[in-house]
Amino acid sequence: MIYICNVCGYQYTKTAGEPDSGVAPGTAWADVSSDFVCPVCGVGKDEFSPD
């Protein structure tokens, strides 16, 4: 499943993760830390929606 930032449209995928933010590829969204912020616009994890 893809999670999309409601502010800027950045897409988080489990396959890619977000290594530059410390999230390894293969990490499920539920396992991403609650203090994760969008690497593009900086909003929190609560501003993402599943697609």
Side-chain angles (χ1 to χ4, degrees), residues 3 7 10-11 15 20 22 25 29-30 34 38-39 41-43 45 48 50:
Y3 286 82
V7 175
Y10 165 81
Q11 297 182 5
T15 304
D20 291 341
W29 185 247
S34 62
C38 177
C41 69
V43 298
K45 186 177 175 185
F48 281 72

Side-chain angles (χ1 to χ4, degrees), residues 12-34:
Y12 175 86
T13 64
K14 177 180 176 180
T15 304
E18 184 51 52
D20 291 341
S21 297
V23 182
T27 302
W29 185 247
D31 296 328
V32 173
S33 174
S34 62

